[in-house]
Amino acid sequence: MKVFDRPLTAAQEKIYLEKFHSGDKRAKEILIEKNMRLVVHMVKKYSCSEYELEDMISIGTIGLIKAIDSFDEKKGSRLVTYAAKCIDNELLMMFRSEKKRSKEISLNEPLGTDKEGNQIHLVDVVENDTGNIAEDIERKELVCKLCVGMEEALSSRE
């Protein structure tokens, strides 16, 4: 595993933040590089999850970048304190969005194979007594068009 740079001292952090706010892009890169150890530390809290470590580090890095971009040193805290919360929030947002996505089921999702080795999909085994929904919608549209056409073509008496 890669050995990360030593974290910045409070004085160094302040210098690089001032440079970053005056437009120095290299200062932002240094702030990111020097705080990657924090990202990995925060990700380790969730290491028992089913997500890849590299993916979680990427998401944590996004949180770090957001923290650097939105950090206000006038509030009296250090960047590391603020970044830790941002990294944690970014990871939790990823877990929540994945949890929501895991509840979604596709009718074309393969369930397994039959005796001949063909894939069986959920749509194959779900029974539908109402018929084809697309045909029903198309039929209703045609009936509406027919009614409109009849009203236009026929007089009120006819």
Side-chain angles (χ1 to χ4, degrees):
M1 180 152 202
K2 181 183 175 187
V3 177
F4 293 102
D5 294 340
R6 303 242 348 116
L8 296 171
T9 63
Q12 291 172 323
E13 184 179 283
K14 186 175 181 178
I15 292 168
Y16 284 113
L17 282 169
E18 287 172 1
K19 287 181 180 182
F20 167 64
H21 289 302
S22 34
D24 186 354
K25 292 187 189 282
R26 181 66 188 136
K28 181 179 182 179
E29 292 171 7
I30 291 171
L31 286 167
I32 293 169
E33 290 169 8
K34 295 288 186 176
N35 285 293
M36 283 305 294
R37 179 181 289 209
L38 173 65
V39 172
V40 173
H41 175 73
M42 298 298 294
V43 164
K44 282 183 181 178
K45 290 192 322 187
Y46 304 104
S47 63
C48 61
S49 71
E50 68 271 8
Y51 300 99
E52 294 288 326
L53 185 66
E54 291 83 14
D55 293 340
M56 291 193 306
I57 290 173
S58 295
I59 297 297
T61 305
I62 291 169
L64 173 63
I65 293 169
K66 286 181 179 180
I68 292 169
D69 289 338
S70 63
F71 180 69
D72 184 8
E73 59 269 358
K74 294 175 189 130
K75 303 255 176 158
S77 64
R78 284 198 50 199
L79 173 65
V80 214
T81 308
Y82 180 70
K85 191 66 179 165
C86 291
I87 294 164
D88 200 39
N89 284 341
E90 202 68 30
L91 289 166
L92 290 174
M93 282 192 318
M94 178 193 72
F95 293 139
R96 283 187 206 111
S97 70
E98 288 296 320
K99 186 176 179 183
K100 285 180 185 176
R101 235 182 273 142
S102 69
K103 293 179 183 177
E104 298 173 3
I105 299 173
S106 169
L107 290 175
N108 296 318
E109 191 172 313
L111 298 174
T113 56
D114 60 11
K115 292 178 184 176
E116 289 87 36
N118 300 321
Q119 276 194 337
I120 299 173
H121 297 88
L122 188 57
V123 73
D124 298 331
V125 295
V126 173
E127 190 173 329
N128 185 359
D129 293 335
T130 61
N132 190 340
I133 295 173
E135 289 175 4
D136 290 344
I137 293 171
E138 188 177 335
R139 189 177 309 111
K140 286 179 183 178
E141 287 177 358
L142 289 174
V143 168
C144 288
K145 285 181 184 178
L146 181 62
C147 289
V148 170
M150 285 178 17
E151 286 178 4
E152 290 174 357
L154 300 174
S155 67
S156 59
R157 185 163 190 237
E158 293 172 321

